[in-house]
């Protein structure tokens, strides 16, 4: 597998995944911090929900802080925000 940030998929698919994530978050009565993982099948244009990570990792290879780093938020800043 390869980590590509941002994902090289259409904005329409990104929006659908975000909408699904919000719906699943509410259906499962999640709160606070979690990461919902999805797979996207390019050939069949299908989105599959994979899993919930209730406490995303914060190692040097963890995707969660890397996503925020890409947006200009350091891991230290992210942890400070989450603690507030």
């Amino acid at each position: 597998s390869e980590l590509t940030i941002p994902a090289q998929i259409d904005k329409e698919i990104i929006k659908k995944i975000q909408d699904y994530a919000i719906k699943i978050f509410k259906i499962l009565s999640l709160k606070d911090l979690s990461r919902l993982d999805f797979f996207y099948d390019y050939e069949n244009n299908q989105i599959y929900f994979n899993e919930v990570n209730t406490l995303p990792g914060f190692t040097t290879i963890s995707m969660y802080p890397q996503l925020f780093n890409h947006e200009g938020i350091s891991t230290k800043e992210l942890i400070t925000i989450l603690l507030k």
Side-chain angles (χ1 to χ4, degrees):
S1 69
E2 180 179 317
L3 176 61
T4 305
I5 301 173
Q8 301 299 306
I9 57 177
D10 293 334
K11 291 182 192 287
E12 176 183 306
I13 299 299
I14 292 171
K15 177 69 171 129
K16 282 184 182 180
I17 291 170
Q18 290 171 336
D19 291 344
Y20 290 153
I22 291 167
K23 287 178 185 176
I24 293 167
F25 188 90
K26 290 177 181 178
I27 288 168
L28 296 177
S29 300
L30 301 174
K31 63 180 248 181
D32 300 327
L33 175 64
S34 65
R35 186 189 81 221
L36 284 73
D37 292 348
F38 294 83
F39 292 117
Y40 177 61
D41 178 351
Y42 286 92
E43 291 181 20
N44 298 302
N45 194 33
Q46 292 291 316
I47 299 167
Y48 299 96
F49 171 62
N50 178 41
E51 67 179 347
V52 173
N53 287 276
T54 55
L55 184 59
F58 280 87
T59 67
T60 56
I61 61 168
S62 297
M63 286 185 278
Y64 188 80
Q66 287 186 49
L67 293 168
F68 284 90
N69 294 165
H70 180 266
E71 296 298 321
I73 299 171
S74 72
T75 301
K76 182 179 177 180
E77 289 174 289
L78 175 59
I79 292 169
T80 300
I81 291 167
L82 294 171
L83 288 174
K84 289 182 182 182

